C-alpha cells in the first residue's frame, strides 16, 4: 500500500511509519516536527509568525481583520507539496487540527486531501472536539481539564484545548466526520470518550519501535535516580508542578538514597540521553494510559509514574504492575515513591515487566499490522 501520514505527536507517526515500512509498504510523512522535539518528516511544514514580535503582529491582525497569517502561510506550504499528497491508498490525519490552521483554512487543505485520496482516516490523539467535550461534561474524568478548572491554567495557556469548544471548530469536526472512513483512538484517554460513537473504529495502542530502544535491567549501585523532563508548554496540563513538589520532599526525606535530575524543553535526541541513567521517570499525572515518553521509557526498563488507571489495568488484563499510576495527590506520590526507594527489588521487577508489556502490547510491527487490517476492512 501507499500511505500518507499527516502530522506528528511524540513520534507516533514516525514509529508507525517504521512498522509499516518493515512490512513492505510505502509511507510518506508530512507535517510539523512537534515543536522543539524536531522529529523527522519527509515533507516538512514550519510554523510561521508563531513567536516574538511577528506573533504579536499576527494576533493584532487577526483581531482587526480576522485574517490569520500563520494559517495562510501553512496553506501556502501545503500547496507546494500538494502534488505529493494525492493518489494514496490511505491517508491518516493525526488530529482534527493537524495543520494548526484556523478552521476555514484547515478545511481548504482537507478538501484537497479528500478530493484526491480515496480513504482518509483520523486519529483521536491529543485534544479534539469529542475528547474536550467529554472532559468538560465529566469534570471528574481524569484529564488536563482538571487543573484548568482548578484555576492553575489561564485561558490563554489553555487555548489549544478551549478552541475545540468554539463553534467553528465544531463545524470543522463535523466536516471531518462526514468525510473520513473512521476515527481510531491511540490510548485509553481517547478510547473512553469515543465508546459508542458510530464512526469509532477502536483502540490501536501506540506503536513503539523496540528495535531502537535497548532494554537495560535496572541496577542500583549507589543512589536511585529520579528523572523529570519538563515541557513548559504542558507544565500544569501534565501535573509537573505536583511532581516538582514531590521531588523536593523526596530529596529531603532521602538525601543519601536518591539523585534528582530535571531538564527543561530539550529536543528529543538530547532528552533521551538524560533519562538513560534514571531508574524512575515522572511522566504525567492526569492520564488513564501512557503517552510516548512513558512508553519509550518503559521499553528501556524504567519505572514510570504515568497513567495506569483501573480501565487500563482491565483492558490489558494485568495482574502485576508494569508502571505506577500517577495522580495529582501529593501524598499519594510521596507514598508510592517512598515505597520504591525503600524496596529496590520491586523497582527492578517493575522495570523488567515494563519491557515485556511493551513487547507484547505495543510492538511497532504488530500495531502497524493492526492499522493495515483496519484500513483494509473499513468501507463506508
Amino acid at each position: 500500500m501507499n500511505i500518507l501520514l499527516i502530522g506528528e505527536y511524540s513520534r507516533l507517526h514516525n514509529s508507525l511509519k517504521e512498522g509499516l515500512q518493515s512490512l513492505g509498504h510505502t509511507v510518506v510523512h508530512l507535517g510539523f516536527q512537534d515543536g522543539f522535539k524536531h522529529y523527522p518528516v519527509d515533507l516538512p511544514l514550519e510554523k510561521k509568525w508563531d513567536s516574538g514580535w511577528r506573533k504579536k503582529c499576527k494576533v493584532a491582525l487577526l483581531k482587526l481583520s480576522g485574517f490569520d497569517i500563520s494559517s495562510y502561510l501553512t496553506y501556502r506550504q501545503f500547496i507546494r507539496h500538494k502534488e505529493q499528497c494525492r493518489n494514496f491508498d490511505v491517508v491518516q490525519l493525526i488530529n482534527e487540527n493537524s495543520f494548526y490552521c484556523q478552521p476555514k483554512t484547515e478545511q481548504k487543505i482537507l478538501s484537497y486531501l479528500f478530493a484526491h485520496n480515496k480513504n482518509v482516516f483520523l486519529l483521536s490523539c491529543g485534544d479534539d472536539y469529542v475528547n474536550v467535550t467529554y472532559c468538560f461534561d465529566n469534570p471528574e474524568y481524569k484529564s488536563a481539564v482538571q487543573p484548568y478548572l482548578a484555576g492553575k491554567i489561564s485561558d490563554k495557556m489553555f487555548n489549544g484545548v478551549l478552541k475545540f469548544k468554539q463553534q467553528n471548530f465544531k463545524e470543522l469536526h463535523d466536516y471531518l466526520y462526514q468525510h473520513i472512513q473512521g476515527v481510531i483512538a491511540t490510548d485509553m484517554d481517547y478510547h473512553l470518550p469515543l465508546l459508542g460513537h458510530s464512526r469509532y473504529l477502536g483502540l490501536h495502542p501506540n506503536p513503539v519501535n523496540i528495535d531502537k530502544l535497548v532494554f537495560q535491567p535496572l541496577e542500583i549501585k549507589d543512589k536511585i535516580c529520579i528523572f523529570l523532563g519538563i515541557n513548559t508548554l504542558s507544565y500544569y496540563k501534565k501535573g509537573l508542578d505536583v511532581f516538582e513538589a514531590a521531588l523536593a520532599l523526596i530529596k529531603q526525606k532521602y538525601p543519601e538514597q536518591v539523585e534528582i535530575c530535571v531538564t527543561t524543553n530539550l529536543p528529543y535526541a538530547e532528552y533521551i540521553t538524560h533519562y538513560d541513567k534514571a531508574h524512575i521517570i515522572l511522566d504525567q499525572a492526569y492520564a488513564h494510559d501512557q503517552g510516548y515518553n512513558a512508553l519509550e521509557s518503559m521499553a528501556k526498563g524504567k519505572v514510570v509514574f504515568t497513567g495506569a488507571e483501573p480501565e487500563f489495568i482491565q483492558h490489558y488484563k494485568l495482574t502485576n504492575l508494569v508502571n505506577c499510576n500517577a495522580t495529582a495527590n501529593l501524598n499519594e506520590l510521596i507514598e508510592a515513591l517512598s515505597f520504591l526507594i525503600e524496596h529496590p527489588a520491586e523497582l527492578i521487577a517493575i522495570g523488567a515487566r515494563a519491557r515485556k508489556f511493551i513487547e507484547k502490547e505495543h510492538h511497532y510491527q504488530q500495531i502497524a499490522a493492526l492499522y493495515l487490517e483496519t484500513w483494509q476492512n473499513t468501507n463506508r
Side-chain angles (χ1 to χ4, degrees):
M1 295 176 70
N2 290 318
I3 300 156
L4 175 62
L5 302 177
I6 294 178
E8 182 59 292
Y9 286 162
S10 298
R11 212 180 183 279
L12 193 166
H13 267 169
N14 268 271
S15 299
L16 179 57
K17 175 184 176 181
E18 290 159 359
L20 293 167
Q21 287 177 324
S22 73
L23 297 177
H25 300 276
T26 301
V27 185
V28 176
H29 188 186
L30 175 144
F32 301 96
Q33 295 178 292
D34 202 6
F36 65 84
K37 299 174 186 176
H38 295 297
Y39 297 113
V41 294
D42 302 308
L43 303 175
L45 300 174
E46 182 182 352
K47 289 185 180 180
K48 304 283 189 179
W49 289 59
D50 206 44
S51 62
W53 67 267
R54 286 186 173 85
K55 184 173 183 178
K56 293 179 181 178
C57 292
K58 176 184 78 171
V59 172
L61 181 62
L62 183 61
K63 288 181 178 178
L64 288 170
S65 67
F67 176 72
D68 179 29
I69 192 169
S70 290
S71 295
Y72 170 73
L73 293 173
T74 295
Y75 176 73
R76 289 284 300 273
Q77 292 177 72
F78 174 78
I79 292 302
R80 289 199 292 270
H81 294 308
K82 71 174 186 177
E83 294 303 318
Q84 297 164 281
C85 297
R86 53 192 297 158
N87 300 323
F88 283 90
D89 299 311
V90 167
V91 175
Q92 181 163 278
L93 300 161
I94 204 158
N95 183 257
E96 290 186 4
N97 195 205
S98 300
F99 295 93
Y100 300 101
C101 292
Q102 289 293 307
K104 285 186 178 179
T105 309
E106 189 95 7
Q107 188 168 325
K108 285 175 66 177
I109 297 173
L110 293 171
S111 66
Y112 180 90
L113 293 170
F114 289 132
H116 294 91
N117 298 280
K118 185 177 180 181
N119 299 300
V120 181
F121 292 82
L122 173 68
L123 292 186
S124 182
C125 168
D127 305 307
D128 58 34
Y129 174 78
V130 171
N131 188 271
V132 170
T133 300
Y134 185 90
C135 291
F136 273 96
D137 288 348
N138 299 276
E140 76 287 351
Y141 184 73
K142 190 181 179 188
S143 77
V145 166
Q146 291 182 325
Y148 170 76
L149 294 175
K152 290 186 176 183
I153 311 174
S154 68
D155 286 358
K156 181 179 179 180
M157 291 300 296
F158 212 54
N159 181 60
V161 177
L162 294 175
K163 68 185 183 184
F164 290 103
K165 291 170 64 67
Q166 299 171 3
Q167 181 60 29
N168 56 351
F169 277 91
K170 167 64 165 59
E171 292 169 0
L172 177 63
H173 161 82
D174 291 340
Y175 173 77
L176 271 162
Y177 272 58
Q178 288 166 10
H179 290 84
I180 57 172
Q181 297 292 95
V183 59
I184 296 166
T186 59
D187 65 43
M188 296 299 295
D189 294 275
Y190 310 109
H191 165 74
L192 296 171
L194 279 165
L195 285 174
H197 197 291
S198 62
R199 307 310 309 281
Y200 185 42
L201 301 175
L203 170 63
H204 292 28
N206 288 306
V208 177
N209 188 340
I210 61 171
D211 296 335
K212 292 188 172 184
L213 299 166
V214 178
F215 170 65
Q216 294 181 328
L218 294 178
E219 292 183 89
I220 303 171
K221 297 178 180 178
D222 186 14
K223 294 184 176 183
I224 293 172
C225 180
I226 306 174
F227 176 82
L228 173 62
I230 292 175
N231 177 346
T232 53
L233 294 177
S234 57
Y235 184 76
Y236 291 104
K237 285 179 69 176
K238 291 193 173 184
L240 304 186
D241 57 321
V242 185
F243 285 150
E244 283 206 291
L247 287 179
L249 294 172
I250 286 292
K251 190 173 182 179
Q252 291 178 3
K253 187 176 180 180
Y254 301 101
E256 302 303 320
Q257 292 165 267
V258 300
E259 174 187 356
I260 307 296
C261 178
V262 180
T263 66
T264 304
N265 292 351
L266 292 182
Y268 177 78
E270 187 177 351
Y271 168 85
I272 60 175
T273 65
H274 282 75
Y275 79 50
D276 274 346
K277 69 175 184 177
H279 300 90
I280 297 171
I281 307 286
L282 303 183
D283 178 53
Q284 57 182 323
Y286 294 107
H288 289 73
D289 200 340
Q290 302 91 59
Y292 257 89
N293 284 346
L295 295 172
E296 293 192 345
S297 299
M298 289 167 64
K300 288 190 171 185
K302 311 299 182 184
V303 175
V304 185
F305 278 68
T306 185
E309 288 292 317
E311 297 92 340
F312 161 77
I313 301 293
Q314 293 163 11
H315 179 79
Y316 290 105
K317 299 179 174 60
L318 298 174
T319 55
N320 292 296
L321 292 179
V322 297
N323 49 28
C324 297
N325 188 38
T327 71
N329 185 306
L330 183 60
N331 290 331
E332 289 181 0
L333 284 174
I334 295 296
E335 182 180 351
L337 285 166
S338 297
F339 176 81
L340 293 176
I341 292 165
E342 295 171 11
H343 299 84
E346 182 60 17
L347 187 72
I348 293 169
I350 294 173
R353 291 196 295 266
R355 172 66 181 203
K356 290 181 180 178
F357 171 77
I358 300 300
E359 290 175 349
K360 180 175 183 288
E361 304 292 354
H362 290 273
H363 193 292
Y364 71 119
Q365 291 174 324
Q366 171 186 315
I367 303 303
L370 179 60
Y371 272 94
L372 290 166
E373 180 181 358
T374 297
W375 293 336
Q376 291 166 342
N377 293 337
T378 301
N379 294 300
R380 290 186 62 183

